Amino acid sequence: MNSDQTLPGDTARGLALDAALDAALDAALTRVLPPPELPPQFRTQLAAAIAREAALELTLRSARPRLEREQREQLAELHADYMRLRRRTLGTLIGGAFAAGAAVAVSLPWLKATFGPDAMLVLAGLGAVAGLAIGTASWVRRLGVPRLLQRL
Amino acid sequence: MQSAVAGAASDDSDVVELLRAHGRERAFALLLPRYERKVFRLCCALLRDPTQAQDAAQESLVRIWKALPSYDGRASLSSWIYTIARNRCLTAIERRRAHAALSDSEFDMTSQAAEVALEPEFGSDSEQRAAQLRELIDLLPERARRTLVLFYFEQRSISDVAQQLACPEGTVKTHLFRARAALAALLKQRGLDDPSLWLEVSP
């Protein structure tokens, strides 16, 4: 046994070994557990595995700029779609407001002639009904009511 | 040659310098002869099966090659390498366990066959003793077994075993003592505690 193997405090723990048996066992273990040798083809197989990994790494590295470019393009396209949607929504709102203004301008004389002093109330009421109808139609579509009705 | 390799392994500053100056390939070429055997022995001690140990050692070294550029020097190179190898072995053990759970009957048959194979029917007395000793080593608690096996694989170097298993040297000594005490107890149980029986053992 070398100095590395001294085990201070072992006897104190009541686990003292029979010295002769321990020495014989140590010698037997040394012979029974020799350091395993590397298989002869180990280096060759390792070199092949590393070559495969290197090739894969190279492929990934060369593909990276293309993948990054594609991702940038997709992001730009998404951003453009979003901007288009916002512009369309804004256009619809402005168009709707102009159309409503024009309708009021055209129909106001007739409403005044027909309803007298209540013409403005009637106009506001019509506006509210139209707004509620548009809102309800939008929510009915969004909640999938037509599909639900179709299933029934 | 061996001592030169061991000496170099204790200080890997040249590998780290080479890694910074010239990149991965040259650093790995310097590192490989120092660690391939140690990694293989560690895998053998942890996995018990030489074929699996070879695969695990190879995969560990490929991972080390891949990760070498990201080695930041916070831990010593040897600790870093052994951690990768140990983790790889633990994954292999987990996989083996999962596979065994999937095919329990098959596993039982294999282990029974292994037990039968351990019964020494032929060969000299000395060979029979060696087979018996190997069988008894396999009966030891896992930590004690792997410490004992690695201790003899590493030519009785406590510091190498401690580094490879990432535990203090005192713990290694404790496990070694317990392993040998348990082996002695097993020998006594079987009436094989005559020292003269073990002096002539050959593998």
Side-chain angles (χ1 to χ4, degrees):
Chain A
M1 260 194 221
N2 65 6
S3 59
D4 260 355
Q5 277 182 285
T6 49
L7 305 167
D10 288 340
T11 44
R13 272 178 259 150
L15 291 167
L17 293 172
D18 175 343
L21 178 61
D22 190 38
L25 202 54
D26 184 56
L29 285 167
T30 307
R31 286 191 291 269
V32 166
L33 296 171
E37 281 305 314
L38 276 176
Q41 74 284 14
F42 186 82
R43 275 278 181 103
T44 322
Q45 288 177 348
L46 180 65
I50 287 178
R52 275 196 303 275
E53 283 295 327
L56 190 68
E57 219 172 65
L58 200 68
T59 311
L60 282 176
R61 205 180 298 159
S62 63
R64 180 172 284 176
R66 183 177 56 80
L67 292 171
E68 281 177 352
R69 199 189 58 235
E70 280 176 11
Q71 194 194 16
R72 273 198 305 275
E73 284 171 2
Q74 279 175 351
L75 276 174
E77 205 173 315
L78 274 173
H79 186 69
D81 281 351
Y82 174 66
M83 293 308 289
R84 246 195 316 274
L85 193 69
R86 286 187 67 174
R87 271 201 294 270
R88 209 165 56 195
T89 309
L90 193 66
T92 308
L93 278 174
I94 294 171
F98 269 110
V104 167
V106 170
S107 60
L108 199 59
W110 176 78
L111 284 169
K112 272 185 178 170
T114 312
F115 297 102
D118 297 331
M120 291 310 283
L121 277 175
V122 172
L123 190 64
L126 283 173
V129 168
L132 280 171
I134 291 167
T136 310
S138 157
W139 275 104
V140 163
R141 246 202 326 270
R142 190 175 289 185
L143 293 172
V145 176
R147 261 180 295 156
L148 204 69
L149 289 173
Q150 263 179 357
R151 267 188 226 163
L152 292 172
Chain B
M1 173 66 190
Q2 190 112 33
S3 63
V5 168
S10 62
D11 174 21
D12 292 313
S13 53
D14 51 348
V15 177
V16 179
E17 272 172 32
L18 210 57
L19 179 65
R20 283 181 191 141
H22 300 285
R24 173 169 60 183
E25 304 309 325
R26 286 176 68 176
F28 188 75
L30 189 61
L31 165 161
L32 186 62
R34 287 181 196 176
Y35 286 102
E36 60 182 346
R37 280 178 186 79
K38 284 176 177 289
V39 166
F40 178 60
R41 287 176 200 160
L42 176 62
C43 294
C44 282
L46 295 180
L47 293 171
R48 300 183 185 210
D49 178 65
T51 314
Q52 284 190 357
Q54 189 188 335
D55 290 346
Q58 210 162 80
E59 284 176 31
S60 304
L61 287 165
V62 171
R63 278 180 193 200
I64 288 162
W65 174 82
K66 275 176 82 174
L68 205 52
S70 62
Y71 170 67
D72 56 8
R74 271 187 295 179
S76 72
L77 188 68
S78 56
S79 304
W80 183 74
I81 288 170
Y82 295 140
T83 304
I84 292 175
R86 271 197 317 276
N87 287 341
R88 180 63 201 80
C89 289
L90 291 178
T91 309
I93 290 168
E94 280 301 316
R95 259 190 231 155
R96 199 160 59 182
R97 227 174 261 163
H99 181 71
L102 280 175
S103 54
D104 260 344
S105 55
E106 191 185 329
F107 180 74
D108 286 346
M109 282 168 66
T110 320
S111 56
Q112 276 167 14
E115 275 170 28
V116 171
L118 279 170
E119 288 294 325
E121 286 176 9
F122 304 103
S124 65
D125 278 358
S126 158
E127 284 165 359
Q128 287 184 14
R129 292 272 171 270
Q132 277 176 323
L133 193 55
R134 280 192 212 102
E135 193 181 356
L136 294 180
I137 292 168
D138 280 342
L139 295 177
L140 293 174
E142 184 51 31
R143 278 188 180 181
R145 188 201 62 80
R146 72 166 65 137
T147 309
L148 184 84
V149 169
L150 205 52
F151 175 69
Y152 285 97
F153 281 179
E154 288 301 337
Q155 276 119 26
R156 304 177 180 194
S157 164
I158 297 250
S159 58
D160 275 359
V161 176
Q163 234 186 352
Q164 292 185 24
L165 296 177
C167 60
E169 291 190 10
T171 310
V172 172
K173 287 178 183 177
T174 306
H175 284 312
L176 275 178
F177 176 78
R178 285 185 184 156
R180 281 206 297 259
L183 269 182
L186 287 169
L187 292 177
K188 273 181 188 154
Q189 270 177 17
R190 287 161 172 73
L192 296 167
D193 56 335
D194 178 3
S196 64
L197 288 174
W198 302 103
L199 289 172
E200 297 301 321
V201 165
S202 64

